[in-house]
Amino acid sequence: MATLAQQRQAIRDGITASRAATGADERRAIGQRLVNERRGIKEDLNALEKSPRRSAQLPRVERRGGVPPAMGVGHWNPSRLPSGGGGLTSPIEEVSRTLHPPRVVWSSDGLVAFSLQRTNELVMRDAQGVEETRIFPNAP
């Protein structure tokens, strides 16, 4: 029976022998062959093109010089302002609130459950007495 060291030596010799067939010279030859094949394909494709390529140049544009400094000019037109106010005026007070029916929500591990009741409609009044109603969907 061979010792462990002898078994490892036999494995190493087998791997070395199998790799010797694909030595550095052979790998270089394979790489050069691939490069030559690519060159041949490129030359074949270029031969298919009928018209020779010419490098197009952009037309020359005369220089115009720099832009002189200037002041910005704006025109005020008060008629373009929106009519009326818009939005709510602080402070905002809650007038009423309605709720969706309660639902039971479970934790992701299923160990904890709790009841959840979301807002359905919220009515608010601002400082000028304007009422605003917000309606919320009962999202899952």
Side-chain angles (χ1 to χ4, degrees), residues 2-3 18 36-37 40 69 76 80 84-85 91 98 100 113 121 124 137:
T3 64
S18 68
N36 292 340
E37 285 177 8
W76 171 253
R80 295 186 65 195
T98 60
H100 286 288
E121 185 176 277
M124 300 172 288

Side-chain angles (χ1 to χ4, degrees), residues 21-94:
T22 60
D25 292 336
E26 187 176 343
R27 287 194 301 275
R28 283 191 199 99
I30 291 170
Q32 188 60 43
R33 181 181 53 85
L34 292 173
V35 168
N36 292 340
E37 285 177 8
R38 276 188 240 123
R39 270 196 202 124
I41 292 172
K42 182 179 174 188
E43 290 168 358
D44 292 342
L45 289 174
N46 287 338
L48 292 174
E49 188 179 15
K50 300 214 183 315
S51 63
R53 292 185 186 188
R54 38 171 233 171
S55 56
Q57 297 241 346
L58 294 175
R60 291 264 181 215
V61 178
E62 291 184 30
R63 290 187 167 201
R64 297 182 184 168
V67 178
M71 292 290 290
V73 179
H75 301 284
W76 171 253
N77 186 354
S79 64
R80 295 186 65 195
L81 286 175
S83 61
L88 299 173
T89 308
S90 294
I92 301 170
E93 298 174 348
E94 182 177 328

Side-chain angles (χ1 to χ4, degrees), residues 84-131:
L88 299 173
T89 308
S90 294
I92 301 170
E93 298 174 348
E94 182 177 328
V95 176
S96 66
R97 177 187 299 244
T98 60
L99 302 171
H100 286 288
R103 2 185 320 224
V104 176
V105 179
W106 289 88
S107 64
S108 60
D109 57 7
L111 296 176
V112 179
F114 57 93
S115 176
L116 179 67
Q117 199 167 13
R118 297 180 186 216
T119 302
N120 179 24
E121 185 176 277
L122 179 63
V123 180
M124 300 172 288
R125 183 180 301 124
D126 71 354
Q128 295 177 347
V130 176
E131 285 194 357

